[in-house]
Amino acid sequence: MSNVTLHTLTARKQAGEKFAVLTAYDATFAHQVSSAGIEMILVGDSLGMVLQGRDSTLPVSLDDMAYHTECVARGNQGAMIMADLPFMTYATPEQAMASSAVLMQAGAHIVKLEGGSWLCETVSQLAERGVPVCAHLGLTPQAVNKLGGYRVQGRTRESALQMIEDARRLEEAGASMLLLECVPSLLAQEITMNAGVPVIGIGAGPHTDAQVLVLQDILGITTGRTPRFVKNFLAESDSIQGALRLYGEQVRDGRFPSAEHGFD
Ligand code: KIV
């Protein structure tokens, strides 16, 4: 596979072609995921739970993210690498620039941050300085204490309109991608239709331009409750490489996620 870039994925959106994203935190799995043709790897701060056994993403440090981004970059075979800016490392535009520099120098091609319109100035300054940004809306796990738990977001008319407005303003500020986590499928559809940039979904129904899941979840290696938007692809395959390829195929041809994996 030739290297996947922002240009590749933006063209995919414009052509109405979906793409697949998976998390990876180390070189071996980055190699497996990218050589299976998965277009994008997310070095997510979910590593706080998946690797470190914590009960939230809040304790993950910038050093942790830089270390795992470097590991992923060494194993990667041409996928685009997105890295999460962890909790409180982008509270001001200046801090966001310094933190993003660390992740980009570790091998990220795009950074992801969580939040709404309050991030417009940060997104704009990063974009102007050559750092592509993905804005994560809906259930933003770094704000779990404010949200009162890991709940579906955007179910009231007011919160749905706010999310539509946040998405519009963040794109206008220069966000290169949006990510919607745990939002009703129809709201995700509306945001995706209105966006000029690719919209990645998780628990956001079948209508987004791309889908992301945690790698361990699609291999059925979980330590707790399995959310409804997860599917075990290893159960339908006889190898890890087969499961990764199946996930990519089913996302691209629209078989996954189906309505049962989304929320009303
Ligand atoms: O950290 C992560 O893995 C994420 C996904 C759940 C979208 O942000």
Side-chain angles (χ1 to χ4, degrees):
M1 176 166 80
S2 60
N3 287 356
V4 177
T5 65
L6 187 55
H7 181 79
T8 320
L9 299 182
T10 307
R12 294 279 278 274
K13 155 115 192 169
Q14 284 157 0
E17 294 168 5
K18 292 179 185 276
F19 60 89
V21 187
L22 277 174
T23 63
Y25 317 115
D26 66 33
T28 307
F29 273 120
H31 191 282
Q32 288 293 318
V33 167
S34 52
S35 44
I38 302 300
E39 286 85 350
M40 181 180 245
I41 294 176
L42 169 62
V43 188
D45 60 359
S46 52
L47 67 84
M49 280 106 132
V50 178
L51 297 188
Q52 299 174 339
R54 302 181 190 275
D55 61 7
S56 82
T57 58
L58 273 66
V60 175
S61 70
L62 188 60
D63 283 349
D64 291 336
M65 292 307 303
Y67 171 76
H68 288 285
T69 302
E70 277 178 15
C71 295
V72 164
R74 288 190 200 110
N76 181 34
Q77 303 293 305
M80 186 168 179
I81 299 175
M82 175 151 72
D84 269 338
L85 284 165
F87 179 63
M88 278 295 157
T89 63
Y90 53 97
T92 65
E94 292 69 28
Q95 197 191 13
M97 280 186 280
S99 304
S100 300
V102 172
L103 297 185
M104 298 298 279
Q105 287 170 349
H109 303 122
I110 180 168
V111 298
K112 176 163 78 62
L113 37 70
E114 299 182 8
S117 300
W118 66 272
L119 282 167
C120 283
E121 183 55 29
T122 299
V123 168
S124 159
Q125 292 200 26
L126 286 169
E128 277 169 3
R129 287 158 181 78
V131 180
V133 181
C134 175
H136 182 152
L137 294 164
L139 170 54
T140 48
Q142 292 172 15
V144 62
N145 293 299
K146 180 133 188 295
L147 298 175
Y150 296 100
R151 300 161 190 277
V152 178
Q153 302 294 307
R155 274 188 160 148
T156 64
R157 183 176 152 73
E158 192 189 9
S159 61
L161 289 175
Q162 182 64 55
M163 209 184 298
I164 291 168
E165 177 66 1
D166 284 343
R168 188 192 65 72
R169 289 189 56 199
L170 286 159
E171 180 179 348
E172 197 176 86
S176 297
M177 290 191 188
L178 301 172
L179 187 146
L180 302 177
E181 177 165 355
C182 291
V183 307
S185 303
L186 286 178
L187 175 58
Q189 181 176 31
E190 174 151 2
I191 292 174
T192 304
M193 270 168 27
N194 291 334
V197 296
V199 179
I200 304 168
I202 175 167
H207 305 294
T208 54
D209 302 307
Q211 183 64 201
V212 61
L213 283 180
V214 169
L215 172 64
Q216 280 76 358
D217 285 345
I218 75 151
L219 300 178
I221 322 170
T222 51
T223 52
R225 191 182 63 86
T226 305
R228 68 182 285 165
F229 51 79
V230 166
K231 177 172 164 186
N232 180 352
F233 286 83
L234 192 53
E236 290 178 22
S237 185
D238 55 10
S239 67
I240 288 178
Q241 191 58 205
L244 299 175
R245 288 185 186 278
L246 189 62
Y247 169 74
E249 281 162 24
Q250 292 202 359
V251 169
R252 277 179 224 107
D253 68 19
R255 271 182 292 159
F256 179 80
S258 58
E260 74 191 82
H261 301 109
F263 299 99
D264 296 328

